[in-house]
Structure formats: C-alpha cells, structure tokens
Amino acid sequence: MIPQLPKAAYKVWVRSYGLVDSPKVDARPGQSLQFKAVPAPVKRATASART
C-alpha cells in the first residue's frame, strides 16, 4: 500500500528486472491489488529494456 495518495483513479503496474511488466490495472487509494510475477522469456523483454 502506498499511503497519502490523493483520492483519484490510478493506473498501476509492476516492473522489475528479469520480469515482464504486469498488465496495468485501475486502482484507487486503499484498494488491495495482487500481481503475478512472470519471468521474461528473453533478456530483451525485461523491464530494463522497456523504458
């Protein structure tokens, strides 16, 4: 949970080295979200290459 966000609608996703970016989901402050880590099939598909 990220505290002290203004009440609004946000697009949230997870990014990490060696993983494929998660799909973006709609979220609001206080909402619980669950993401599944998906290993990148090749290095080029990782978050580090997707800037």
Side-chain angles (χ1 to χ4, degrees):
M1 178 174 271
I2 301 172
Q4 301 176 357
L5 286 174
K7 289 183 180 181
Y10 294 91
K11 292 278 186 190
V12 180
W13 72 97
V14 177
R15 172 177 278 183
S16 183
Y17 294 106
L19 300 176
V20 176
D21 287 359
S22 71
K24 293 179 182 177
V25 296
D26 294 322
R28 295 192 176 271
Q31 182 179 357
S32 294
L33 303 173
Q34 292 186 10
F35 294 92
K36 182 179 178 183
V38 179
V42 292
K43 222 177 197 185
R44 181 168 284 173
T46 66
S48 63
R50 296 175 120 196
T51 55

Coordinates of all heavy atoms in Angstrom, one line a residue:
M1 N 0.8 -1.2 0.0 CA 0.0 0.0 0.0 C 0.9 1.2 0.0 O 1.9 1.3 0.7 CB -0.9 0.0 1.2 CG -1.8 1.2 1.3 SD -3.0 1.1 2.6 CE -4.3 0.3 1.8
I2 N 0.5 2.2 -0.8 CA 1.2 3.5 -0.8 C 0.4 4.5 -0.1 O -0.7 4.8 -0.6 CB 1.5 3.9 -2.3 CG1 2.3 2.8 -3.0 CG2 2.2 5.2 -2.3 CD1 2.5 3.1 -4.5
P3 N 0.8 5.0 1.0 CA 0.0 5.9 1.8 C 0.0 7.3 1.2 O 0.8 7.7 0.4 CB 0.7 5.9 3.2 CG 2.1 5.7 2.9 CD 2.1 4.7 1.7
Q4 N -1.0 8.1 1.6 CA -1.2 9.5 1.4 C -1.3 9.9 -0.1 O -0.7 10.9 -0.5 CB 0.0 10.3 2.0 CG 0.0 10.1 3.5 CD 1.2 10.8 4.2 OE1 2.0 11.3 3.5 NE2 1.3 10.7 5.5
L5 N -1.9 9.1 -0.9 CA -2.2 9.5 -2.3 C -3.5 10.2 -2.3 O -4.4 9.9 -1.6 CB -2.3 8.2 -3.2 CG -1.0 7.5 -3.5 CD1 -1.4 6.2 -4.3 CD2 -0.1 8.4 -4.4
P6 N -3.6 11.2 -3.1 CA -4.9 11.9 -3.3 C -6.0 11.0 -3.8 O -5.7 10.0 -4.5 CB -4.6 13.0 -4.3 CG -3.1 13.2 -4.3 CD -2.6 11.8 -4.0
K7 N -7.2 11.2 -3.4 CA -8.3 10.4 -3.8 C -8.5 10.6 -5.3 O -8.7 11.8 -5.8 CB -9.6 10.7 -3.1 CG -9.6 10.3 -1.7 CD -10.9 10.6 -1.0 CE -10.9 10.1 0.4 NZ -12.1 10.3 1.1
A8 N -8.2 9.6 -6.1 CA -8.3 9.7 -7.6 C -8.2 8.3 -8.1 O -8.0 7.3 -7.4 CB -7.1 10.5 -8.1
A9 N -8.4 8.1 -9.4 CA -8.2 6.8 -10.1 C -6.8 6.8 -10.6 O -6.3 7.8 -11.2 CB -9.2 6.7 -11.2
Y10 N -6.1 5.7 -10.5 CA -4.7 5.5 -10.9 C -4.6 4.2 -11.8 O -5.4 3.3 -11.7 CB -3.8 5.3 -9.7 CG -3.7 6.5 -8.8 CD1 -4.6 6.7 -7.8 CD2 -2.7 7.5 -9.1 CE1 -4.5 7.8 -7.0 CE2 -2.6 8.6 -8.3 CZ -3.5 8.8 -7.2 OH -3.4 9.9 -6.5
K11 N -3.6 4.2 -12.7 CA -3.2 3.0 -13.4 C -2.0 2.5 -12.7 O -1.0 3.2 -12.5 CB -2.9 3.3 -14.9 CG -4.1 3.8 -15.7 CD -4.8 2.6 -16.2 CE -5.9 3.0 -17.1 NZ -6.8 1.9 -17.4
V12 N -2.0 1.3 -12.3 CA -0.9 0.7 -11.5 C -0.4 -0.6 -12.2 O -1.2 -1.4 -12.7 CB -1.4 0.3 -10.1 CG1 -0.3 -0.3 -9.2 CG2 -2.0 1.6 -9.4
W13 N 0.9 -0.7 -12.2 CA 1.5 -1.9 -12.7 C 2.9 -2.2 -12.0 O 3.4 -1.3 -11.3 CB 1.7 -1.9 -14.2 CG 2.8 -1.0 -14.7 CD1 4.1 -1.3 -15.1 CD2 2.7 0.4 -15.0 NE1 4.8 -0.2 -15.5 CE2 4.0 0.9 -15.4 CE3 1.7 1.3 -14.8 CZ2 4.2 2.2 -15.7 CZ3 1.9 2.7 -15.1 CH2 3.2 3.1 -15.6
V14 N 3.4 -3.4 -12.2 CA 4.6 -3.8 -11.5 C 5.7 -4.0 -12.6 O 5.5 -4.6 -13.6 CB 4.4 -5.1 -10.7 CG1 5.7 -5.5 -10.1 CG2 3.4 -4.9 -9.6
R15 N 6.9 -3.5 -12.3 CA 8.0 -3.6 -13.2 C 9.2 -4.0 -12.4 O 9.5 -3.5 -11.3 CB 8.3 -2.3 -13.8 CG 9.6 -2.3 -14.7 CD 9.8 -0.9 -15.3 NE 8.9 -1.0 -16.5 CZ 8.9 0.0 -17.4 NH1 9.6 1.1 -17.3 NH2 8.2 -0.2 -18.5
S16 N 10.0 -5.0 -12.9 CA 11.2 -5.5 -12.2 C 12.1 -6.1 -13.2 O 11.7 -6.6 -14.2 CB 10.8 -6.5 -11.1 OG 12.0 -6.8 -10.4
Y17 N 13.4 -6.1 -12.9 CA 14.4 -6.7 -13.7 C 14.1 -8.2 -13.8 O 13.9 -8.9 -12.8 CB 15.8 -6.5 -13.2 CG 16.2 -5.0 -13.3 CD1 16.3 -4.3 -12.1 CD2 16.5 -4.4 -14.5 CE1 16.6 -2.9 -12.2 CE2 16.8 -3.1 -14.6 CZ 16.9 -2.4 -13.4 OH 17.2 -1.0 -13.5
G18 N 14.2 -8.8 -15.0 CA 14.1 -10.2 -15.3 C 12.6 -10.6 -15.4 O 12.3 -11.8 -15.6
L19 N 11.7 -9.7 -15.2 CA 10.2 -10.0 -15.3 C 9.6 -9.1 -16.4 O 10.1 -8.1 -16.8 CB 9.5 -9.6 -14.0 CG 10.0 -10.4 -12.8 CD1 9.3 -9.9 -11.5 CD2 9.9 -11.9 -12.9
V20 N 8.5 -9.7 -17.0 CA 7.7 -8.9 -17.9 C 6.8 -7.9 -17.1 O 6.3 -8.3 -16.1 CB 6.8 -9.9 -18.7 CG1 5.9 -9.2 -19.7 CG2 7.7 -10.9 -19.5
D21 N 6.6 -6.7 -17.6 CA 5.7 -5.8 -17.0 C 4.4 -6.4 -16.8 O 3.9 -7.1 -17.7 CB 5.6 -4.5 -17.8 CG 6.8 -3.6 -17.8 OD1 7.8 -4.0 -17.1 OD2 6.8 -2.6 -18.5
S22 N 3.7 -6.2 -15.6 CA 2.4 -6.7 -15.4 C 1.4 -5.8 -16.2 O 1.7 -4.7 -16.6 CB 2.0 -6.6 -13.9 OG 1.9 -5.3 -13.5
P23 N 0.2 -6.4 -16.4 CA -0.8 -5.5 -17.1 C -1.2 -4.4 -16.2 O -1.1 -4.5 -15.0 CB -2.0 -6.5 -17.2 CG -1.5 -7.8 -17.1 CD -0.3 -7.7 -16.2
K24 N -1.5 -3.2 -16.8 CA -1.9 -2.1 -16.0 C -3.4 -2.3 -15.5 O -4.2 -2.8 -16.3 CB -1.9 -0.8 -16.8 CG -0.5 -0.4 -17.2 CD -0.4 0.8 -18.0 CE 1.1 1.1 -18.4 NZ 1.2 2.2 -19.3
V25 N -3.6 -2.0 -14.2 CA -5.0 -2.1 -13.7 C -5.4 -0.8 -13.1 O -4.6 0.0 -12.6 CB -5.0 -3.3 -12.6 CG1 -4.7 -4.6 -13.2 CG2 -4.1 -3.0 -11.5
D26 N -6.7 -0.6 -13.1 CA -7.3 0.6 -12.4 C -7.3 0.4 -10.9 O -7.6 -0.7 -10.4 CB -8.7 0.8 -12.9 CG -8.7 1.2 -14.4 OD1 -7.8 1.9 -14.9 OD2 -9.7 0.7 -15.1
A27 N -6.9 1.4 -10.2 CA -6.9 1.3 -8.7 C -7.2 2.6 -8.1 O -7.1 3.7 -8.7 CB -5.5 0.8 -8.3
R28 N -7.6 2.6 -6.8 CA -7.9 3.7 -6.0 C -7.2 3.6 -4.7 O -6.9 2.5 -4.3 CB -9.4 3.9 -5.8 CG -10.1 4.2 -7.1 CD -11.5 4.7 -6.8 NE -12.2 5.0 -8.0 CZ -12.2 6.2 -8.6 NH1 -11.5 7.2 -8.0 NH2 -12.8 6.5 -9.7
P29 N -6.8 4.7 -4.0 CA -6.1 4.6 -2.7 C -6.9 3.7 -1.7 O -8.1 3.7 -1.7 CB -6.1 6.0 -2.2 CG -6.1 6.8 -3.5 CD -7.0 6.1 -4.4
G30 N -6.1 2.8 -1.0 CA -6.7 1.9 -0.1 C -7.1 0.5 -0.6 O -7.4 -0.4 0.1
Q31 N -7.1 0.4 -1.9 CA -7.5 -0.8 -2.6 C -6.4 -1.8 -2.6 O -5.2 -1.4 -2.8 CB -7.9 -0.5 -4.1 CG -8.4 -1.7 -4.8 CD -8.8 -1.3 -6.3 OE1 -8.8 -0.2 -6.6 NE2 -9.2 -2.3 -7.0
S32 N -6.7 -3.1 -2.3 CA -5.6 -4.1 -2.4 C -5.5 -4.7 -3.8 O -6.6 -4.9 -4.4 CB -6.0 -5.3 -1.4 OG -5.9 -4.8 -0.1
L33 N -4.3 -4.9 -4.2 CA -4.1 -5.4 -5.6 C -3.2 -6.6 -5.5 O -2.3 -6.7 -4.6 CB -3.5 -4.4 -6.5 CG -4.2 -3.1 -6.7 CD1 -3.3 -2.1 -7.4 CD2 -5.5 -3.3 -7.3
Q34 N -3.3 -7.6 -6.4 CA -2.4 -8.7 -6.4 C -1.9 -8.8 -7.8 O -2.6 -8.7 -8.8 CB -3.1 -10.0 -6.1 CG -3.5 -10.1 -4.6 CD -4.1 -11.4 -4.2 OE1 -4.0 -12.4 -5.0 NE2 -4.7 -11.5 -3.1
F35 N -0.6 -9.0 -7.9 CA 0.1 -9.1 -9.2 C 0.8 -10.5 -9.3 O 1.3 -10.9 -8.2 CB 1.1 -8.0 -9.5 CG 0.4 -6.7 -9.6 CD1 0.2 -5.8 -8.5 CD2 0.0 -6.2 -10.9 CE1 -0.4 -4.6 -8.6 CE2 -0.7 -5.0 -11.0 CZ -0.8 -4.2 -9.9
K36 N 0.9 -11.1 -10.4 CA 1.7 -12.3 -10.6 C 3.0 -12.0 -11.3 O 3.0 -11.4 -12.4 CB 0.8 -13.3 -11.4 CG 1.5 -14.6 -11.6 CD 0.6 -15.6 -12.4 CE 1.3 -16.9 -12.6 NZ 0.5 -17.8 -13.4
A37 N 4.1 -12.5 -10.8 CA 5.4 -12.3 -11.4 C 5.5 -13.2 -12.6 O 5.3 -14.4 -12.4 CB 6.5 -12.5 -10.4
V38 N 5.9 -12.7 -13.7 CA 6.1 -13.5 -14.9 C 7.5 -13.3 -15.4 O 7.9 -12.2 -15.9 CB 5.1 -13.1 -16.0 CG1 5.3 -14.0 -17.3 CG2 3.6 -13.3 -15.6
P39 N 8.3 -14.4 -15.4 CA 9.7 -14.3 -15.9 C 9.7 -13.9 -17.3 O 8.9 -14.4 -18.1 CB 10.3 -15.7 -15.6 CG 9.4 -16.3 -14.6 CD 8.0 -15.7 -14.8
A40 N 10.7 -13.1 -17.7 CA 10.8 -12.7 -19.1 C 11.4 -13.9 -19.9 O 12.3 -14.5 -19.4 CB 11.7 -11.5 -19.3
P41 N 10.8 -14.2 -21.1 CA 11.3 -15.3 -21.9 C 12.7 -15.1 -22.4 O 13.5 -16.0 -22.6 CB 10.3 -15.4 -23.0 CG 9.7 -14.1 -23.1 CD 9.7 -13.5 -21.7
V42 N 13.1 -13.8 -22.7 CA 14.4 -13.4 -23.2 C 14.8 -12.1 -22.5 O 13.9 -11.3 -22.1 CB 14.5 -13.3 -24.7 CG1 14.3 -14.6 -25.4 CG2 13.5 -12.3 -25.2
K43 N 16.1 -11.8 -22.4 CA 16.5 -10.6 -21.7 C 16.0 -9.4 -22.3 O 15.6 -8.4 -21.6 CB 18.1 -10.6 -21.8 CG 18.7 -10.1 -20.6 CD 20.2 -10.2 -20.7 CE 20.8 -10.1 -19.3 NZ 22.3 -10.1 -19.4
R44 N 15.8 -9.3 -23.6 CA 15.3 -8.1 -24.3 C 13.9 -7.8 -23.9 O 13.5 -6.6 -23.9 CB 15.3 -8.3 -25.8 CG 14.9 -7.1 -26.6 CD 15.2 -7.2 -28.0 NE 16.6 -7.0 -28.2 CZ 17.3 -7.1 -29.3 NH1 16.7 -7.5 -30.4 NH2 18.6 -6.9 -29.3
A45 N 13.1 -8.7 -23.4 CA 11.7 -8.5 -23.0 C 11.6 -8.0 -21.5 O 10.5 -7.8 -21.1 CB 10.9 -9.8 -23.1
T46 N 12.7 -7.9 -20.8 CA 12.6 -7.5 -19.4 C 12.3 -6.0 -19.2 O 12.5 -5.2 -20.2 CB 13.9 -7.8 -18.7 OG1 15.0 -7.0 -19.2 CG2 14.3 -9.3 -18.8
A47 N 12.0 -5.6 -18.0 CA 11.7 -4.2 -17.7 C 12.8 -3.3 -18.0 O 12.6 -2.2 -18.4 CB 11.2 -4.1 -16.3
S48 N 14.1 -3.8 -17.8 CA 15.2 -2.9 -18.0 C 15.3 -2.4 -19.5 O 15.9 -1.4 -19.8 CB 16.5 -3.6 -17.6 OG 16.7 -4.8 -18.5
A49 N 14.8 -3.2 -20.4 CA 14.8 -2.8 -21.8 C 13.6 -2.1 -22.3 O 13.5 -1.6 -23.4 CB 15.0 -4.1 -22.7
R50 N 12.6 -1.9 -21.4 CA 11.3 -1.2 -21.8 C 11.2 0.2 -21.1 O 10.4 0.4 -20.3 CB 10.2 -2.1 -21.3 CG 10.1 -3.4 -21.9 CD 9.0 -4.2 -21.3 NE 8.1 -4.6 -22.3 CZ 6.9 -5.0 -22.1 NH1 6.4 -5.1 -20.9 NH2 6.1 -5.3 -23.1
T51 N 12.0 1.1 -21.5 CA 11.9 2.4 -21.0 C 11.2 3.3 -21.9 O 11.0 3.1 -23.0 CB 13.3 3.0 -20.7 OG1 14.1 2.9 -21.8 CG2 13.9 2.2 -19.5

